[in-house]
Amino acid sequence: MFGSKKQKPRRPVGNFDTLVSRKTSISGDVHFSGGLHIDGRIEGKVIAEEGSDAVLRISEAGRIEGDIMAPHVIINGTVEGDVYAGAHLELAARAVIHGSVYYNLLEMAMGAEVNGNLVHRKEPVGLLRQDAQAPRPHEDESGITGTREADEIGSGKDSGE
């Protein structure tokens, strides 16, 4: 009766094709598909192949100094940068993130730490290009900061008036 219904896992469970070991340090961007497990240190962006169902897992000993862009992300280490998880983000008890987190589905254990913004994104498409499409803040003559997109909507410029 209870529990007889089997549920699918929320994230892919499987093999990790690539391991960055504890004694390894990489400087530069890392592009991957499949599974990537990090026990070492990466200074640069970690980017999953677009359209893939890639999984990035950072262990307690792992550290990334740069942005992360992947559909499935599991963090138990330290990240100094923004995290873009298109499908699922899991923050384990020892996760520490110094940056903003963009997620669709978030699972966060007690003890996990995010020093930045948490932004829910229902649509994973476009997370990789988010910086190029984001409205840029500006300051008008009165010293008030806003976005050009908001000003155009408020002034009727977007409707051709």
Side-chain angles (χ1 to χ4, degrees), residues 110-123:
M110 187 182 310
E113 185 180 320
V114 176
N115 299 303
N117 296 318
L118 288 172
V119 181
H120 180 252
R121 308 277 269 201
K122 289 184 182 178
E123 300 169 6

Side-chain angles (χ1 to χ4, degrees), residues 74-96:
I74 304 163
I75 301 174
N76 199 25
T78 304
V79 176
E80 299 269 347
D82 294 341
V83 177
Y84 300 88
H88 179 259
L89 172 63
E90 180 180 332
L91 300 178
R94 295 185 183 229
V96 177

Side-chain angles (χ1 to χ4, degrees), residues 125-161:
V125 178
L127 284 179
L128 298 178
R129 295 184 185 90
Q130 183 250 326
D131 291 337
Q133 296 174 354
R136 297 181 186 218
H138 78 283
E139 206 172 274
D140 66 10
E141 298 81 31
S142 66
I144 297 174
T145 302
T147 61
R148 295 207 187 276
E149 184 178 89
D151 291 345
E152 290 171 3
I153 291 169
S155 66
K157 290 181 185 175
D158 62 322
S159 61
E161 295 176 21

